[in-house]
């Protein structure tokens, strides 16, 4: 069976809009690190820094939030 390719060269992909552009490895790593530190501090009731508090508010993170591959809150 031959794979169907679209103009972008991706295999068997239905059209759902533009192809998602992934962040660089370093950006994802930093985001995951920040998410984990915020979640840990919330669980252990440790005060957050100003940067961590902004990140928590921006992404609606609580102590039970699940993280995605990119370091964002899973829905």
């Amino acid at each position: 069976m031959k794979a169907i390719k679209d103009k972008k060269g991706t295999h068997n992909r239905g059209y759902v809009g533009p192809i998602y552009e992934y962040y660089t490895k370093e950006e994802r790593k930093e985001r995951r690190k920040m998410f984990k530190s915020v979640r840990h501090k919330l669980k252990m009731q440790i005060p957050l820094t100003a940067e961590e508090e902004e990140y928590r508010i921006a992404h609606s993170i609580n102590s039970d939030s699940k993280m995605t591959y990119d370091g964002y809150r899973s829905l």
Side-chain angles (χ1 to χ4, degrees):
M1 184 168 134
K2 191 172 182 180
I4 300 169
K5 294 185 178 183
D6 63 359
K7 292 178 184 177
K8 298 287 184 181
T10 56
H11 296 272
N12 300 326
R13 176 185 171 272
Y15 183 73
V16 292
I19 292 178
Y20 181 77
E21 295 197 16
Y22 290 102
Y23 299 100
T24 64
K25 182 178 180 180
E26 295 303 318
E27 289 172 334
R28 290 191 308 267
K29 185 177 179 180
E30 289 300 318
R31 238 183 244 107
R32 288 191 303 264
K33 186 176 177 183
M34 177 66 80
F35 191 99
K36 288 177 185 179
S37 70
V38 169
R39 188 174 53 190
H40 170 75
K41 286 184 176 184
L42 288 172
K43 282 184 180 181
M44 299 299 160
Q45 299 178 353
I46 301 170
L48 299 172
T49 64
E51 182 184 4
E52 290 170 339
E53 184 64 28
E54 289 175 17
Y55 191 83
R56 184 191 69 78
I57 292 169
H59 299 290
S60 305
I61 299 171
N62 60 27
S63 61
D64 297 328
S65 296
K66 303 270 189 264
M67 181 177 59
T68 63
Y69 175 72
D70 288 332
Y72 291 121
R73 181 175 164 237
S74 176
L75 297 175

